[in-house]
Amino acid sequence: MRPPVIRKKLDALRPPHLLDFERERTSFSWSQARAELQGLPGGALNIAHEAVERHARGARANRVALRWLGAGGDSIDFTYADLSALSNRFADALTRVGLARGDVLFLLAPRIPELYIAVLGALKAGVVVSPLFSAFGPEPIATRIRLGRGRALLTTRSLYERKVASIRTQLESLQTVLIAGNHEGAPVPEGALGLDALLDAASERFDTAATRPDELALLHFTSGTTGKPKGAMHVHEAVVTHYATGKYALDLHDDDVFWCTADPGWVTGMSYGVIAPLLHGVTMIVDEAEFDAERWYRILRDERVTVWYTAPTAVRMLMKAGTELARQFRFDRLRFVASVGEPLNPEAVWWGHEVLGLPIHDNWWQTETGGIMIANTPALDIKPGSMGKPLPGVDAFVVRRRVENESTVGVEIIDAPDEEGELALRAGWPSMFRGYLGNEERYRKCFVDSPRGRLYLTEDLVRRDADGYFWFVGRADDVIKSAGHLIGPFEVESALMEHPAVAEAGVIGKPDPVIGEAVKAFVSLKPGFAASEALRLELLGHARKRLGPAVAPKEIDFTTTLPRTRSGKIMRRLLRARELGLPEGDTSTLESGG
Ligand code: ATP
Ligand code: MG
């Protein structure tokens, strides 16, 4: 039996930033965090200035900011000075093609260097950046560009031809299309401009726009796990959260080599795959290629990665690839591993501890929060299965909504430990979203006044234990009500994953005339295990023993894959719709093959 807590042993030579959690929480203020950044004259604040210019004009100018690993085995290093010059050129080029402050630039590209240069250059010009995941089809691309009134799009020739050309006439706002990486010299598609030529003609000098802290900087679409994706609006001031969380939750020091495996098409890949690492002056790794267990282990080892930020789905795939493969590598430099996006099963935390030699630190946030809110931090003991504690500057509550006529009129705050309720955050942290694009009403409904101040309601259910650790129970939509119990799918999935045959599990509630909803599990198996009636019975028995008959699944189906979003989240609503023969709803973010 494993202990419930992983105790931390700290490296005395290298204490983490957040050594004394409680003291730092008490003394922390957002204004003090902001004072650690540079700012621009007149109270202006610009993300790209803090991420690049601040370093490019100082001692870190010649440090590698971005090491790009090409899918074909080549690699390119960009120093902070290089990023500064290139993003200046991009900003100048945007201005020359007629983009102005407040215009929206959409990005649709694989993880190529131009993508990173474009993000920084656009922000410098005060142009709003909206990244799209490059595997989207034409329809999701069109919907988002229309909703965001995209004025320009940066993409590649092949993506343009396959996905954009056919919808171009439907995109009335879209005036400019920039084609990146057209190195083979093939002609630029008609109606588009070649980026290389524009950059060559542009100036290496550019005065970063003196953006107001509350000026729009980024538009991020949510993952679409529970329904139609929402466009969350973020401002330049978010940089203060990116900075503080990079320090506290990821423990970034400027000699770190940091790898965030998320694609910048999603908020994690932007907040922590571009902005936070640069703010801390680290070297960040960008891998163009898709997931491959052996490649990933090689990158961790050969690039001497020190801090690694990944996702539960990736960890589960590594686990599936087997311990033998992992044991062929040594990760001498790795000192901190964190994960976000879905609940991290205790089994995965332990896997890190045993196989990588480091436990995995779960942390929680959403597109709407713009940055990490609750985290297992370096000096904090880990309770596997818990997402940790609210970071300095973040006040989190467990609440129950008071609903009248189907609208929330208030909340009851639950201070007692171990009770389930909705996670709410006191409004006002710098990276809080400032609206849902085109849906003011829905935005307003996310907030409620309470005796503890104005709260943002997250729609995630949690409980807080007596030590102040938060435990994820489930998304409000996914929670199963069975015979008077509220059952979070995560608990059931984690118990199933403890069985050696199980690679992944997705759990739903199925309407049942007697008990309201019956728990049903979909399970995929690890290599070497075959689906059989005997195994099904064994798993049912295993779950009953672990969870008790009220919570354990009544039914288990074997499946080769679970439907998941392109950002790697299990789409339980789809498992449910398919099981019940209901319409599938918005599937624009569904990973192909799901
Ligand atoms: P949509 O809002 O469109 O349904 P989404 O909520 O999945 O999609 P994101 O903003 O990308 O879109 O994901 C945030 C959500 O992911 C959180 O609200 C939570 O449900 C889940 N999540 C993120 N991190 C964790 C974590 N550490 N533990 C449990 N759940 C997490
Ligand atoms: Mg959401």
Side-chain angles (χ1 to χ4, degrees):
M1 195 63 188
R2 285 163 169 161
V5 178
I6 300 179
R7 302 259 172 234
K8 286 295 173 60
K9 285 193 283 302
L10 292 180
D11 179 352
L13 295 175
R14 168 152 217 157
H17 288 299
L18 192 50
L19 190 57
D20 186 337
F21 192 87
E22 295 309 329
R23 208 184 64 191
E24 199 82 10
R25 261 193 66 83
T26 314
S27 65
F28 178 88
S29 75
W30 287 113
S31 56
Q32 169 212 321
R34 180 166 171 191
E36 290 179 33
L37 298 172
Q38 199 166 53
L40 288 167
L45 192 59
N46 185 293
I47 296 175
H49 174 82
E50 304 302 333
V52 176
E53 292 312 295
R54 198 164 48 103
H55 305 309
R57 293 176 198 179
R60 292 181 189 136
N62 295 320
R63 176 164 168 66
V64 175
L66 191 168
R67 166 162 293 176
W68 178 78
L69 307 175
D74 44 340
S75 81
I76 311 176
D77 284 352
F78 298 86
T79 64
Y80 280 89
D82 294 337
L83 278 191
S84 163
L86 287 162
S87 57
N88 276 349
R89 282 182 186 271
F90 190 88
D92 186 54
L94 275 189
T95 314
R96 288 182 192 216
V97 299
L99 263 81
R101 224 160 118 170
D103 284 343
V104 179
L105 167 72
F106 274 84
L107 307 174
L108 177 75
R111 290 180 294 278
I112 52 176
E114 287 89 337
L115 179 67
Y116 297 80
I117 290 158
V119 169
L120 298 165
L123 292 172
K124 278 185 177 175
V127 165
V128 180
V129 175
S130 187
L132 297 173
F133 191 56
S134 60
F136 279 156
E139 192 43 45
I141 294 171
T143 321
R144 287 164 178 74
I145 294 181
R146 274 201 299 263
L147 189 61
R149 298 206 186 87
R151 179 86 190 270
L153 170 72
L154 174 84
T155 185
T156 62
R157 195 161 70 95
S158 113
L159 286 171
Y160 183 80
E161 284 168 355
R162 284 187 288 129
K163 302 179 175 191
V164 185
S166 62
I167 52 167
R168 178 85 190 261
T169 54
Q170 302 166 29
L171 304 173
E172 282 173 16
S173 63
L174 192 67
Q175 293 180 355
T176 307
V177 173
L178 304 170
I179 301 293
N182 200 21
H183 305 297
E184 301 80 35
V188 172
E190 211 183 302
L193 302 168
L195 182 64
D196 288 350
L198 284 174
L199 291 181
D200 283 346
S203 164
E204 215 165 270
R205 295 178 59 86
F206 187 85
D207 288 330
T208 300
T211 39
R212 291 185 319 275
D214 65 350
E215 201 165 318
L216 204 56
L218 296 156
L219 265 179
H220 274 295
F221 289 88
T222 60
S223 292
T225 314
T226 52
K228 194 169 147 53
K230 297 149 275 184
M233 299 153 74
H234 287 284
V235 296
H236 277 275
E237 192 186 9
V239 72
V240 182
T241 305
H242 298 146
Y243 174 78
T245 53
K247 178 174 167 180
Y248 292 135
L250 300 176
D251 197 41
L252 296 176
H253 289 69
D254 69 357
D255 56 353
D256 272 319
V257 177
F258 173 70
W259 184 25
C260 167
T261 60
D263 188 273
W266 307 107
V267 72
T268 306
M270 185 61 75
S271 295
Y272 299 99
V274 186
I275 300 169
L278 296 179
L279 290 173
H280 285 275
V282 311
T283 294
M284 64 180 194
I285 302 293
V286 169
D287 182 26
E288 185 189 29
E290 293 312 316
F291 175 85
D292 174 85
E294 196 174 333
R295 180 179 173 99
W296 278 31
Y297 287 137
R298 234 182 310 115
I299 292 175
L300 286 173
R301 181 191 62 191
D302 296 350
E303 299 304 331
R304 302 158 73 84
V305 172
T306 56
V307 181
W308 189 37
Y309 196 22
T310 189
T313 177
V315 175
R316 289 192 298 257
M317 286 195 280
L318 291 175
M319 290 166 75
K320 198 171 175 175
T323 307
E324 300 70 37
L325 178 64
R327 295 220 192 274
Q328 291 170 21
F329 297 84
R330 285 178 55 140
F331 312 106
D332 294 337
R333 301 295 294 261
L334 197 60
R335 65 175 176 83
F336 190 73
V337 183
S339 147
V340 72
E342 278 195 301
L344 186 68
N345 315 86
E347 203 53 32
V349 179
W350 283 109
W351 176 85
H353 192 60
E354 286 155 14
V355 177
L356 299 176
L358 297 163
I360 302 177
H361 295 73
D362 186 19
N363 58 53
W364 177 97
W365 58 293
Q366 306 176 309
T367 308
E368 289 85 343
T369 71
I372 302 169
M373 299 280 108
I374 298 181
N376 286 286
T377 56
L380 215 59
D381 291 339
I382 296 182
K383 300 189 185 187
S386 158
M387 46 201 208
K389 294 186 180 189
L391 288 178
V394 176
D395 292 313
F397 304 92
V398 182
V399 307
R400 218 165 275 142
R401 295 191 191 214
R402 277 204 315 276
V403 179
E404 281 169 22
N405 299 327
E406 291 183 12
S407 61
T408 304
V409 294
V411 287
E412 174 201 341
I413 294 175
I414 306 169
D415 287 319
D418 297 324
E419 285 208 37
E420 280 167 18
E422 184 172 355
L423 175 63
L425 305 168
R426 200 195 322 267
W429 70 96
S431 65
M432 190 178 88
F433 72 136
R434 305 303 159 94
Y436 280 133
L437 202 56
N439 201 341
E440 183 56 32
E441 161 98 7
R442 175 145 198 187
Y443 178 67
R444 252 186 297 111
K445 284 187 171 162
C446 296
F447 296 89
V448 64
D449 287 321
S450 85
R452 310 276 169 92
R454 198 167 157 67
L455 302 182
Y456 163 67
L457 299 165
T458 66
E459 295 187 6
D460 279 345
L461 300 184
V462 297
R463 65 191 162 77
R464 183 188 46 228
D465 68 18
D467 299 326
Y469 282 73
F470 281 70
W471 299 75
F472 184 78
V473 173
R475 292 159 177 275
D477 289 5
D478 287 339
V479 168
I480 303 160
K481 296 170 197 79
S482 183
H485 298 275
L486 270 188
I487 300 169
F490 171 50
E491 186 188 2
V492 183
E493 290 159 7
S494 290
L496 285 166
M497 277 192 64
E498 284 171 17
H499 190 283
V502 177
E504 273 197 306
V507 166
I508 60 161
K510 211 176 144 179
D512 180 286
V514 182
I515 54 172
E517 284 185 302
V519 179
K520 168 153 193 178
F522 297 84
V523 162
S524 77
L525 297 175
K526 285 193 184 145
F529 292 90
S532 69
E533 199 44 39
L535 183 56
R536 187 198 316 275
L537 291 174
E538 189 179 317
L539 290 177
L540 285 167
H542 162 86
R544 259 174 172 263
K545 207 156 77 213
R546 281 285 289 103
L547 299 164
V551 177
K554 306 267 178 292
E555 272 180 53
I556 293 180
D557 274 7
F558 293 110
T559 166
T560 44
T561 54
L562 293 169
R564 60 182 69 253
T565 65
R566 293 190 182 278
S567 56
K569 299 167 196 275
I570 298 172
M571 289 171 102
R572 297 179 190 80
R573 71 170 160 101
L574 227 56
L575 284 173
R576 198 161 187 276
R578 288 174 181 175
E579 174 71 21
L580 305 177
L582 299 171
E584 294 199 347
D586 188 296
T587 52
S588 63
T589 61
L590 175 67
E591 193 173 66
S592 47

